[in-house]
Protein backbone atom coordinates (compact mmCIF):
# COMPACT_ATOMS: atom_id res chain seq x y z
CA UNK A 1 0.00 0.00 0.00
CA UNK A 2 1.50 3.33 -1.00
CA UNK A 3 1.55 6.05 1.59
CA UNK A 4 -0.28 9.27 0.63
CA UNK A 5 1.52 12.53 1.27
CA UNK A 6 -0.03 15.97 1.75
CA UNK A 7 0.87 16.75 -1.87
CA UNK A 8 -0.49 13.61 -3.46
CA UNK A 9 -3.49 14.18 -5.78
CA UNK A 10 -5.59 11.66 -3.89
CA UNK A 11 -5.33 13.72 -0.73
CA UNK A 12 -6.52 16.88 -2.52
CA UNK A 13 -9.72 15.33 -3.81
CA UNK A 14 -12.93 15.19 -1.91
CA UNK A 15 -14.39 11.86 -0.84
CA UNK A 16 -15.78 10.14 -3.90
CA UNK A 17 -19.29 9.28 -2.74
CA UNK A 18 -22.15 8.36 -5.03
CA UNK A 19 -24.65 9.90 -2.66
CA UNK A 20 -24.72 13.49 -1.46
CA UNK A 21 -24.29 12.50 2.16
CA UNK A 22 -24.22 9.47 4.38
CA UNK A 23 -25.91 11.37 7.17
CA UNK A 24 -29.27 9.96 8.20
CA UNK A 25 -30.29 12.65 10.70
CA UNK A 26 -32.32 15.77 9.86
CA UNK A 27 -29.25 17.77 8.83
CA UNK A 28 -31.37 19.97 6.58
CA UNK A 29 -33.47 21.34 9.45
CA UNK A 30 -30.98 23.91 10.76
CA UNK A 31 -30.21 25.47 7.34
CA UNK A 32 -33.92 25.47 6.46
CA UNK A 33 -34.87 27.25 9.70
CA UNK A 34 -31.99 29.69 9.25
CA UNK A 35 -33.13 30.43 5.71
CA UNK A 36 -36.68 31.07 6.91
CA UNK A 37 -35.57 33.26 9.84
CA UNK A 38 -33.16 35.41 7.87
CA UNK A 39 -35.58 35.79 4.94
CA UNK A 40 -38.30 36.91 7.30
CA UNK A 41 -35.92 39.45 8.87
CA UNK A 42 -34.91 40.84 5.47
CA UNK A 43 -38.54 41.22 4.35
CA UNK A 44 -39.50 42.89 7.62
CA UNK A 45 -36.48 45.19 7.51
CA UNK A 46 -37.29 46.27 3.96
CA UNK A 47 -40.84 47.14 4.94
CA UNK A 48 -39.83 48.88 8.17
CA UNK A 49 -37.17 51.10 6.66
CA UNK A 50 -39.74 52.68 4.32
CA UNK A 51 -42.56 52.82 6.85
CA UNK A 52 -43.18 56.37 8.07
CA UNK A 53 -44.71 55.58 11.48
CA UNK A 54 -41.47 55.32 13.40
CA UNK A 55 -42.06 57.74 16.28
CA UNK A 56 -44.63 58.20 18.99
CA UNK A 57 -43.71 59.97 22.23
CA UNK A 58 -41.67 58.56 24.04
CA UNK A 59 -40.76 55.74 21.63
CA UNK A 60 -38.70 55.63 18.50
CA UNK A 61 -38.55 52.48 16.37
CA UNK A 62 -35.04 50.91 16.50
CA UNK A 63 -34.80 50.59 12.71
CA UNK A 64 -35.13 54.37 12.41
CA UNK A 65 -32.88 55.39 15.28
CA UNK A 66 -30.88 57.61 15.45
CA UNK A 67 -33.05 60.00 13.47
CA UNK A 68 -30.69 62.65 12.11
CA UNK A 69 -32.54 64.78 9.54
CA UNK A 70 -34.83 67.79 9.86
CA UNK A 71 -37.62 65.57 8.52
CA UNK A 72 -37.56 63.75 11.89
CA UNK A 73 -40.15 64.99 14.41
CA UNK A 74 -38.60 67.17 17.13
CA UNK A 75 -38.79 64.50 19.86
CA UNK A 76 -37.33 61.80 17.61
CA UNK A 77 -34.04 63.60 16.97
CA UNK A 78 -30.97 62.41 18.84
CA UNK A 79 -30.31 65.08 21.51
CA UNK A 80 -32.74 67.30 19.57
CA UNK A 81 -30.11 67.38 16.86
CA UNK A 82 -30.52 67.16 13.06
CA UNK A 83 -26.93 67.22 11.71
CA UNK A 84 -27.92 65.88 8.27
CA UNK A 85 -30.29 68.82 7.64
CA UNK A 86 -32.99 68.63 5.01
CA UNK A 87 -31.05 67.53 1.92
CA UNK A 88 -31.60 63.85 2.70
CA UNK A 89 -35.18 63.20 1.65
CA UNK A 90 -35.18 59.39 1.81
CA UNK A 91 -36.35 57.56 4.98
CA UNK A 92 -34.03 58.54 7.88
CA UNK A 93 -33.34 54.92 8.77
CA UNK A 94 -31.38 54.56 5.53
CA UNK A 95 -28.66 56.89 6.84
CA UNK A 96 -27.56 54.55 9.60
CA UNK A 97 -28.72 51.24 8.12
CA UNK A 98 -25.20 50.40 6.91
CA UNK A 99 -23.78 50.12 10.44
CA UNK A 100 -26.05 47.47 11.98
CA UNK A 101 -26.59 45.74 8.62
CA UNK A 102 -22.85 45.61 7.89
CA UNK A 103 -22.13 44.38 11.41
CA UNK A 104 -24.58 41.49 11.11
CA UNK A 105 -23.76 40.70 7.50
CA UNK A 106 -20.04 40.30 8.26
CA UNK A 107 -20.54 38.62 11.66
CA UNK A 108 -18.68 35.31 11.89
CA UNK A 109 -21.82 33.48 13.03
CA UNK A 110 -24.09 34.95 10.36
CA UNK A 111 -21.48 34.22 7.71
CA UNK A 112 -21.56 30.58 8.66
CA UNK A 113 -25.35 30.55 8.73
CA UNK A 114 -25.98 32.21 5.39
CA UNK A 115 -23.12 30.42 3.62
CA UNK A 116 -24.89 27.23 4.69
CA UNK A 117 -28.53 28.15 4.25
CA UNK A 118 -28.44 30.46 1.20
CA UNK A 119 -25.25 29.45 -0.59
CA UNK A 120 -25.27 25.76 0.45
CA UNK A 121 -21.53 25.90 0.82
CA UNK A 122 -21.90 23.32 2.29
CA UNK A 123 -25.45 23.12 3.72
CA UNK A 124 -24.18 21.07 6.69
CA UNK A 125 -21.14 19.13 7.86
CA UNK A 126 -20.44 16.04 5.73
CA UNK A 127 -23.04 17.02 3.12
CA UNK A 128 -21.93 17.57 -0.46
CA UNK A 129 -22.26 21.06 -1.88
CA UNK A 130 -23.33 22.04 -5.40
CA UNK A 131 -20.24 24.23 -5.97
CA UNK A 132 -17.20 22.84 -7.73
CA UNK A 133 -14.59 25.17 -6.23
CA UNK A 134 -13.92 26.48 -2.78
CA UNK A 135 -11.69 29.51 -2.34
CA UNK A 136 -12.84 30.49 1.13
CA UNK A 137 -12.53 34.11 2.17
CA UNK A 138 -9.02 34.60 0.87
CA UNK A 139 -9.87 36.57 -2.26
CA UNK A 140 -12.42 39.01 -3.61
CA UNK A 141 -15.25 39.41 -2.93
CA UNK A 142 -15.33 37.47 0.33
CA UNK A 143 -12.02 38.81 1.61
CA UNK A 144 -13.97 42.03 2.25
CA UNK A 145 -15.64 40.24 5.16
CA UNK A 146 -12.52 41.19 7.11
CA UNK A 147 -13.96 44.68 7.62
CA UNK A 148 -16.07 43.17 10.38
CA UNK A 149 -13.77 44.48 13.10
CA UNK A 150 -14.48 48.06 11.93
CA UNK A 151 -18.23 47.52 11.90
CA UNK A 152 -17.85 46.51 15.52
CA UNK A 153 -17.08 50.12 16.49
CA UNK A 154 -20.17 51.31 14.58
CA UNK A 155 -22.26 48.68 16.35
CA UNK A 156 -21.09 50.01 19.72
CA UNK A 157 -22.53 53.41 18.73
CA UNK A 158 -25.83 51.86 17.66
CA UNK A 159 -26.04 49.91 20.93
CA UNK A 160 -25.43 53.14 22.86
CA UNK A 161 -28.15 54.99 20.91
CA UNK A 162 -30.72 52.22 21.44
CA UNK A 163 -29.87 52.15 25.16
CA UNK A 164 -30.33 55.93 25.29
CA UNK A 165 -33.73 55.59 23.56
CA UNK A 166 -34.79 52.97 26.10
CA UNK A 167 -33.68 55.15 29.04
CA UNK A 168 -35.61 58.13 27.62
CA UNK A 169 -38.71 55.95 27.46
CA UNK A 170 -38.02 54.72 31.01
CA UNK A 171 -37.92 58.20 32.54
CA UNK A 172 -41.14 59.13 30.76
CA UNK A 173 -44.06 58.65 33.16
CA UNK A 174 -46.00 56.44 33.13
CA UNK A 175 -43.71 53.80 31.67
CA UNK A 176 -45.66 51.69 29.17
CA UNK A 177 -45.16 48.18 27.87
CA UNK A 178 -43.13 49.65 24.99
CA UNK A 179 -40.54 50.89 27.49
CA UNK A 180 -39.82 47.37 28.68
CA UNK A 181 -39.76 46.03 25.16
CA UNK A 182 -37.23 48.69 24.13
CA UNK A 183 -35.20 48.03 27.27
CA UNK A 184 -35.00 44.27 26.71
CA UNK A 185 -34.06 44.90 23.09
CA UNK A 186 -31.29 47.35 24.05
CA UNK A 187 -29.84 44.84 26.54
CA UNK A 188 -29.85 42.03 23.96
CA UNK A 189 -28.31 44.26 21.29
CA UNK A 190 -25.53 45.33 23.65
CA UNK A 191 -24.88 41.75 24.78
CA UNK A 192 -24.77 40.55 21.18
CA UNK A 193 -22.32 43.35 20.32
CA UNK A 194 -20.08 42.57 23.31
CA UNK A 195 -20.13 38.86 22.49
CA UNK A 196 -18.53 39.61 19.09
CA UNK A 197 -15.29 37.77 18.31
CA UNK A 198 -13.66 41.10 17.44
CA UNK A 199 -14.57 42.46 20.87
CA UNK A 200 -12.93 39.43 22.48
CA UNK A 201 -9.81 40.07 20.45
CA UNK A 202 -9.80 43.77 21.32
CA UNK A 203 -10.07 43.12 25.06
CA UNK A 204 -7.04 40.84 25.31
CA UNK A 205 -6.30 39.23 21.97
CA UNK A 206 -2.64 40.17 21.75
CA UNK A 207 -1.63 39.82 25.36
CA UNK A 208 1.13 37.39 26.24
CA UNK A 209 0.73 37.70 30.00
CA UNK A 210 -2.73 37.96 31.48
CA UNK A 211 -1.16 38.41 34.91
CA UNK A 212 0.28 41.78 33.86
CA UNK A 213 -3.10 43.09 32.69
CA UNK A 214 -5.65 42.07 35.33
CA UNK A 215 -8.36 44.47 34.14
CA UNK A 216 -8.12 43.38 30.52
CA UNK A 217 -8.07 39.79 31.68
CA UNK A 218 -11.32 40.31 33.60
CA UNK A 219 -12.90 42.03 30.59
CA UNK A 220 -11.73 39.18 28.35
CA UNK A 221 -13.15 36.59 30.76
CA UNK A 222 -16.51 38.36 30.72
CA UNK A 223 -16.55 38.76 26.94
CA UNK A 224 -15.46 35.14 26.49
CA UNK A 225 -18.48 33.94 28.46
CA UNK A 226 -20.75 36.03 26.25
CA UNK A 227 -18.87 34.87 23.17
CA UNK A 228 -19.78 31.27 23.96
CA UNK A 229 -23.43 32.33 23.57
CA UNK A 230 -22.86 34.37 20.41
CA UNK A 231 -25.24 32.36 18.24
CA UNK A 232 -28.05 32.53 20.79
CA UNK A 233 -27.52 36.27 21.26
CA UNK A 234 -27.46 36.78 17.48
CA UNK A 235 -30.92 35.22 17.14
CA UNK A 236 -32.37 36.71 20.33
CA UNK A 237 -31.32 40.24 19.34
CA UNK A 238 -32.48 39.71 15.76
CA UNK A 239 -35.99 38.92 16.95
CA UNK A 240 -36.01 41.47 19.77
CA UNK A 241 -35.15 44.31 17.41
CA UNK A 242 -37.93 43.23 15.04
CA UNK A 243 -40.46 42.91 17.86
CA UNK A 244 -39.50 46.28 19.39
CA UNK A 245 -39.57 47.99 16.02
CA UNK A 246 -42.92 46.49 15.07
CA UNK A 247 -44.44 47.33 18.45
CA UNK A 248 -43.48 51.02 18.24
CA UNK A 249 -44.83 51.29 14.69
CA UNK A 250 -48.12 49.70 15.72
CA UNK A 251 -48.47 52.15 18.63
CA UNK A 252 -47.57 55.05 16.30
CA UNK A 253 -50.22 53.93 13.81
CA UNK A 254 -52.82 53.64 16.56
CA UNK A 255 -53.21 49.89 16.03
CA UNK A 256 -52.09 49.20 19.61
CA UNK A 257 -53.96 51.55 21.91
CA UNK A 258 -54.46 49.85 25.23
CA UNK A 259 -53.55 51.87 28.36
CA UNK A 260 -49.81 52.16 29.02
CA UNK A 261 -48.93 50.96 25.55
FE1 LIG B 1 -20.62 38.06 15.25
FE2 LIG B 1 -18.71 39.96 15.55
S1 LIG B 1 -18.47 37.87 15.20
S2 LIG B 1 -20.86 40.16 15.68
Amino acid sequence: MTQQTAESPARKQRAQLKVRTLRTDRWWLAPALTFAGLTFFLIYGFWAIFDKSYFVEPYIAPFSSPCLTTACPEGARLFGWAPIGDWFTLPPGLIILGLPAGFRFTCYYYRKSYYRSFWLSPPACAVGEPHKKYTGETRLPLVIQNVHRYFFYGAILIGAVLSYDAILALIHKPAGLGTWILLVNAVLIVLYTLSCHSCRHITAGRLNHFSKHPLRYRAWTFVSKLNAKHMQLAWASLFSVMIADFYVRMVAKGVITFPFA
Side-chain angles (χ1 to χ4, degrees):
M1 192 175 172
T2 52
Q3 195 181 358
Q4 290 179 353
T5 64
E7 291 74 37
S8 76
R11 283 289 292 270
K12 287 183 182 168
Q13 286 173 6
R14 297 181 177 189
Q16 299 299 303
L17 298 177
K18 292 205 166 39
V19 289
R20 191 174 176 202
T21 182
L22 297 177
R23 286 180 66 168
T24 54
D25 61 335
R26 290 190 291 172
W27 57 264
W28 45 268
L29 189 59
L33 289 176
T34 305
F35 182 85
L38 293 182
T39 303
F40 183 69
F41 179 74
L42 289 175
I43 293 170
Y44 176 78
F46 190 77
W47 170 77
I49 214 79
F50 289 99
D51 178 60
K52 294 198 169 80
S53 307
Y54 54 83
F55 177 70
V56 55
E57 190 87 32
Y59 309 139
I60 178 161
F63 276 52
S64 299
S65 181
C67 210
L68 301 171
T69 76
T70 42
C72 306
E74 199 77 19
R77 298 178 191 173
L78 187 66
F79 308 127
W81 220 30
I84 303 290
D86 57 5
W87 63 267
F88 191 84
T89 50
L90 294 172
L94 280 173
I95 296 172
I96 41 93
L97 178 68
L99 291 182
F103 185 56
R104 289 204 185 240
F105 189 79
T106 58
C107 161
Y108 295 7
Y109 168 68
Y110 282 114
R111 270 143 75 173
K112 171 190 140 186
S113 58
Y114 66 75
Y115 288 164
R116 288 188 172 191
S117 58
F118 284 77
W119 192 239
L120 308 177
S121 179
C125 290
V127 178
E129 59 178 300
H131 312 286
K132 296 232 169 7
K133 269 196 339 194
Y134 174 74
T135 55
E137 295 176 325
T138 56
R139 60 181 75 168
L140 282 172
L142 292 185
V143 72
I144 294 173
Q145 301 276 33
N146 283 317
V147 298
H148 181 66
R149 67 200 74 169
Y150 304 109
F151 278 119
F152 169 74
Y153 298 109
I156 290 274
L157 284 181
I158 296 294
V161 169
L162 296 186
S163 303
Y164 176 71
D165 291 344
I167 291 167
L168 280 190
L170 193 62
I171 57 181
H172 186 274
K173 297 291 177 219
L177 177 60
T179 301
W180 304 109
I181 292 176
L182 287 182
L183 207 56
V184 169
N185 176 53
V187 168
L188 287 172
I189 292 279
V190 168
L191 290 179
Y192 165 63
T193 306
L194 293 180
S195 71
C196 171
H197 294 65
S198 295
C199 179
R200 188 164 177 260
H201 181 73
I202 288 165
T203 49
R206 287 173 184 268
L207 294 186
N208 289 328
H209 305 284
F210 280 143
S211 55
K212 291 185 184 159
H213 305 272
L215 276 182
R216 291 183 66 183
Y217 175 62
R218 285 176 72 168
W220 179 83
T221 309
F222 173 71
V223 169
S224 295
K225 284 184 185 148
L226 289 180
N227 183 256
K229 300 277 178 222
H230 193 55
M231 178 185 80
Q232 290 88 336
L233 288 167
W235 282 109
S237 59
L238 190 86
F239 280 101
S240 75
V241 76
M242 265 194 297
I243 291 168
D245 191 89
F246 186 70
Y247 184 87
V248 172
R249 288 176 200 276
M250 290 303 109
V251 176
K253 288 177 194 298
V255 176
I256 296 177
T257 55
F258 55 83
F260 308 123

